[in-house]
Amino acid sequence: MDVQSWIRKLVVDGKGASAIRRAYNLLASMMRDAVDEDIIAVSPCRRIDLPAEAVKPPQWFTLTQAQVVLDRLSQPWQAMALLGFYTGMRWGELAGLHGHRIDWLRSRLFVVEVNANSGIKEYPKSSKSRREIPIPEHVLDALARHMHGRDPDGVVFTTVTKGRAGRLLDDGNWRRQTWWPAVDGAKYVDAAGKRRAVPHYPPHAMRHTCASWLVQQGVSLYEVQHLLGHESYQTTQRYAHLAPDSHQAVLGAWTRLDSQLIVPMDAVAEAKPTLAAISQ
């Protein structure tokens, strides 16, 4: 009862659902450890009602928007972003990629290490984050140009600032100094011919963009799940609405009805003055 009351108080205080879940998961983990160490007999974190998290649609760039952002980046960040858009790798995976993980002959790379800002660490061998990713030929060519003259086995993307070159990238610094300056000033021309600002999306949007483009091209969610290294299929289902045939079954069902509901044309004509009045 105490735990449930605590959760309700967090809700009343206006805490977000994701923050509440993180706090609860930490408490539940501590209670499990306490049970394992015989400090308490039973965990109080049982059958607790948690607030539902709203599923946010993934933020992804169109091809035109992505190209504008790419054009505003300097090397070697163009190669890094290109790899991000075409592989869906997490930023830490891009920043932790080693040259010896690239199979140049088979156009593949192996995601094993991740830059966790505290240093490079390997994913557990049982983790789905460990995976093999195919690389398009033009992306592999860009990688080869970037790797020319570099340690073929070392970290692929490192700092380039004079006097500090060759160090592991820091997520926060990379966003402030590289990503946001490119995104914030980027403009593109939409389908109507209007010049617009590129959406203010973080680097993680490269991962969403990769998945979104693939799903729109008919790649199955199962394949996308393995490409991105999602532990849960439910995570990948966020992109299901982008599939080219996602609504065909519904639309097809409506057309197969014996008859359709209709609005008589005279009723539509009578309604026009009313609609005009409403619009005013």
Side-chain angles (χ1 to χ4, degrees):
M1 288 187 291
D2 288 338
V3 174
Q4 188 66 72
S5 296
W6 171 58
I7 295 296
R8 291 192 183 116
K9 183 179 185 304
L10 292 177
V11 173
V12 171
D13 290 345
K15 304 299 182 184
S18 59
I20 292 175
R21 284 179 175 268
R22 287 196 301 270
Y24 171 77
N25 289 338
L26 178 59
L27 176 64
S29 176
M30 295 168 62
M31 292 301 103
R32 285 194 300 269
D33 290 343
V35 171
D36 292 342
E37 295 296 327
D38 294 326
I39 298 174
I40 58 177
V42 179
S43 171
C45 297
R46 295 176 296 160
R47 295 186 292 278
I48 301 298
D49 292 329
L50 299 173
E53 289 187 80
V55 179
K56 297 180 180 179
Q59 297 175 323
W60 58 279
F61 295 107
T62 65
L63 187 62
T64 302
Q65 293 167 351
Q67 185 63 61
V68 171
V69 173
L70 202 65
D71 290 343
R72 288 179 56 83
L73 291 169
S74 59
Q75 284 292 7
W77 314 127
Q78 282 187 332
M80 184 175 177
L82 190 68
L83 189 62
F85 280 124
Y86 280 93
T87 64
M89 294 169 67
R90 300 174 178 92
W91 185 90
E93 294 169 345
L94 291 168
L97 177 66
H98 286 65
H100 66 274
R101 301 299 185 188
I102 303 172
D103 187 335
W104 301 96
L105 295 179
R106 295 177 58 240
S107 300
R108 300 284 191 273
L109 66 79
F110 301 91
V111 178
V112 178
E113 293 91 2
V114 60
N115 179 352
N117 278 338
S118 58
I120 300 291
K121 69 175 184 179
E122 288 191 9
Y123 282 126
K125 291 185 177 180
S126 59
S127 171
K128 289 188 178 180
S129 293
R130 279 200 180 208
R131 60 200 188 278
E132 180 181 290
I133 297 179
I135 312 175
E137 185 175 351
H138 74 286
V139 179
L140 197 67
D141 288 343
L143 266 181
R145 292 193 298 271
H146 167 68
M147 292 293 292
H148 182 71
R150 300 174 63 91
D151 179 1
D153 295 329
V155 177
V156 175
F157 301 107
T158 58
T159 56
V160 295
T161 305
K162 188 175 181 180
R164 298 174 59 86
R167 302 186 183 186
L168 292 179
L169 296 175
D170 176 82
D171 185 13
N173 289 340
W174 193 85
R175 288 174 182 243
R176 288 190 300 272
Q177 299 171 10
T178 302
W179 181 259
W180 291 128
V183 172
D184 289 343
K187 303 284 185 180
Y188 74 102
V189 178
D190 65 12
K194 293 184 178 180
R195 189 171 174 82
R196 299 184 180 276
V198 167
H200 190 78
Y201 294 158
H204 197 71
M206 291 188 290
R207 179 170 167 84
H208 291 317
T209 298
C210 173
S212 300
W213 288 353
L214 290 176
V215 172
Q216 289 177 77
Q217 292 302 312
V219 177
S220 72
L221 292 179
Y222 178 79
E223 291 291 339
V224 172
Q225 177 189 2
H226 285 272
L227 180 76
L228 299 187
H230 286 157
E231 292 287 341
S232 170
Y233 181 75
Q234 281 68 34
T235 304
T236 317
Q237 283 186 312
R238 289 181 296 173
Y239 308 101
H241 68 286
L242 296 172
D245 59 348
S246 60
H247 300 302
Q248 289 306 309
V250 174
L251 294 174
W254 293 136
T255 60
R256 290 193 299 272
L257 286 176
D258 294 335
S259 62
Q260 303 291 340
L261 294 174
I262 60 171
V263 176
M265 292 303 296
D266 55 347
V268 174
E270 292 174 1
K272 283 184 179 179
T274 304
L275 292 175
I278 292 175
S279 64
Q280 292 175 358

